Amino acid sequence: MIAAGLFLCPAPSRTGALAQAPQAPAPGAGSGAASPGGMAGATSPATPPKPGEAPAEPPTEAERLIDAAIKKLAAIKSVSANLVQTVEMLKQKFAVRGEYRKAPSSRIYLRLTVEGLADSTGTQLQVCDGDTLWDYQQILESQMYRKRSIKPILDRLNSPDMDARTRDQVMSTLGISGPETLLLGLRKAVKFDQKEEGTLDGKPVYILRGTWRNRSGLVGPDQRPLPATGALPAFIPSLATLYVGKEDGWPYRINLVGKVPTILQDTRRIGPDGRPIGARSSIEKVEPSRMELVYSDVQINPTIPAGKFAFQAPPNANVEDDTESILKFLDAAIQSQALMKRAQATQQDGPVLDRNIDIPKPSSEPTPR
């Protein structure tokens, strides 16, 4: 879901605070890997390694609990919830408030509104009634409407010749997957190695903690990659805490905070003589970043009226329909996967000239006339 990509973005910019509307996947994009800030390439932790890759290390007890939660969330037929995400990063503070609904037949509703940014406000809405998926985005005075016919897209995604990685990527890009996508992204980006039991608002939960698996995709304020070694700066929210419902697997709260260094990092510029410029008192103290996503009023498997998933663009709106471009991409992916399966089958069976051919023996009985 959209909130997943927004929450996991390690260094959001002022203009990029509102999650971008999903774009139609470009041909060939199905195999792209996602950075820790995105969900598009998230795959199941059980995906086997490719030839030549080192096998994945066995999951921790905390990670096994997340895997179980992902399965529970995927099995939920309907749900309604409110969500609030708060961000304090690089002297910026803002919040994203939202409402999420899901019902059978691919019906979804997700509304997100950004609050607290002085020079940028915005709203994003995704609605699907089971036939048409609408995306609406408003940033300041700019508005965007996009629609997709969801049924033919889902038919392609459910094809036996559609590989799981591409299916997961497209489902996530379209935004029609649920909070299990959020957990998949966390599971991929963060190594959870601590577990305890507790309560959250009176609900029994597992409290799981961890840190980034690696620094791939983490950048500084100038968008340059961070050094491969050394302590992460405080503005990178590197310590993760996840509160998962014991019974339903729901991610009720997720916290990401920066780690305060034990020694004040010297941020002074170096002069021609190789010495820092200015007194140590001039070193700017960077406050640790904090990001928190909280779900509230979560109702599992409620009955939601069909009217809660209705939407129609205004008559004078400029509506983009990229259904055909998505279908062309999916058809190409299906054809490519089918050809790959045939090639693999041919390699397993061996060349035709090397195969033993069974020639039927002639019958000893006379041929009837």
Side-chain angles (χ1 to χ4, degrees):
M1 60 190 291
I2 305 173
L6 176 63
F7 184 79
L8 289 181
C9 181
S13 65
R14 182 176 294 270
T15 58
L18 184 66
Q20 296 297 309
Q23 303 294 322
S31 59
S35 71
M39 299 294 99
T43 56
S44 168
T47 302
K50 296 180 181 179
E53 290 184 352
E57 58 184 20
T60 64
E61 186 177 355
E63 290 170 337
R64 285 195 292 268
L65 290 174
I66 296 176
D67 294 342
I70 291 171
K71 294 180 180 179
K72 290 180 180 179
L73 293 175
I76 292 176
K77 301 299 182 182
S78 65
V79 65
S80 67
N82 297 322
L83 62 98
V84 178
Q85 176 182 328
T86 54
V87 178
E88 297 181 20
M89 181 177 289
L90 299 176
K91 299 181 180 180
Q92 298 183 47
K93 294 183 180 181
F94 65 93
V96 180
R97 300 185 184 276
E99 183 180 359
Y100 173 64
R101 306 184 197 116
K102 171 189 173 182
S105 302
S106 304
R107 290 179 292 168
I108 62 162
Y109 178 98
L110 177 63
R111 184 181 183 91
L112 300 175
T113 302
V114 177
E115 302 175 352
L117 292 177
D119 57 355
S120 179
T121 59
T123 297
Q124 180 160 336
L125 176 66
Q126 274 195 317
V127 184
C128 183
D129 60 2
D131 293 313
T132 303
L133 173 64
W134 285 95
D135 284 317
Y136 166 73
Q137 181 171 304
Q138 175 264 319
I139 299 179
L140 297 178
E141 301 301 323
S142 175
Q143 299 187 45
M144 183 277 296
Y145 294 87
R146 177 187 290 116
K147 70 176 183 177
R148 288 137 176 181
S149 298
I150 200 65
K151 287 186 176 180
I153 293 175
L154 293 178
D155 288 342
R156 265 71 164 189
L157 291 175
N158 292 327
S159 167
D161 287 324
M162 175 63 67
D163 69 282
R165 184 185 181 90
T166 302
R167 180 186 297 110
D168 291 344
Q169 182 182 33
V170 174
M171 290 283 286
S172 179
T173 303
L174 291 174
I176 55 180
S177 51
E180 65 271 17
T181 304
L182 172 61
L183 288 188
L184 276 170
L186 281 171
R187 175 73 165 80
K188 181 178 181 181
V190 177
K191 180 177 178 57
F192 288 91
D193 53 9
Q194 301 177 50
K195 176 191 79 74
E196 62 180 280
E197 299 182 15
T199 59
L200 180 66
D201 298 329
K203 184 181 294 293
V205 295
Y206 293 112
I207 305 173
L208 313 176
R209 294 184 172 88
T211 58
W212 294 111
R213 290 185 181 276
N214 56 63
R215 303 189 180 190
S216 174
L218 297 180
V219 297
D222 54 2
Q223 301 302 306
R224 287 187 297 180
L226 296 176
T229 58
L232 286 172
F235 63 80
I236 295 294
S238 55
L239 305 177
T241 305
L242 171 63
Y243 298 78
V244 176
K246 281 187 175 182
E247 297 180 0
D248 52 27
W250 193 271
Y252 285 95
R253 177 177 294 176
I254 305 170
N255 293 103
L256 287 176
V257 298
K259 186 176 182 180
V260 180
T262 55
I263 301 177
L264 186 62
Q265 185 178 7
D266 195 340
T267 57
R268 293 176 293 175
R269 293 186 296 111
I270 303 299
D273 59 355
R275 297 182 178 180
I277 299 175
R280 288 192 62 85
S281 59
S282 66
I283 299 175
E284 183 180 5
K285 183 179 179 180
V286 179
E287 294 294 330
S289 297
R290 300 179 183 275
M291 303 175 68
E292 181 180 70
L293 177 63
V294 177
Y295 284 97
S296 62
D297 195 22
V298 179
Q299 300 180 40
I300 305 296
N301 293 325
T303 300
I304 305 177
K308 295 290 186 179
F309 302 95
F311 180 83
Q312 183 61 51
N316 59 345
N318 182 19
V319 179
E320 177 186 353
D321 189 337
D322 58 359
T323 303
E324 289 303 318
S325 62
I326 297 177
L327 293 179
K328 289 180 180 178
F329 163 70
L330 295 177
D331 288 338
I334 291 173
Q335 183 179 10
S336 175
Q337 187 70 12
L339 292 174
M340 186 182 302
K341 289 181 179 179
R342 293 176 193 169
Q344 292 174 346
T346 301
Q347 291 176 354
Q348 293 175 355
D349 294 341
V352 175
L353 295 178
D354 293 341
R355 301 180 197 169
N356 294 325
I357 301 176
D358 293 329
I359 301 176
K361 297 180 180 180
S363 175
S364 59
E365 299 180 359
T367 302
R369 296 182 179 179

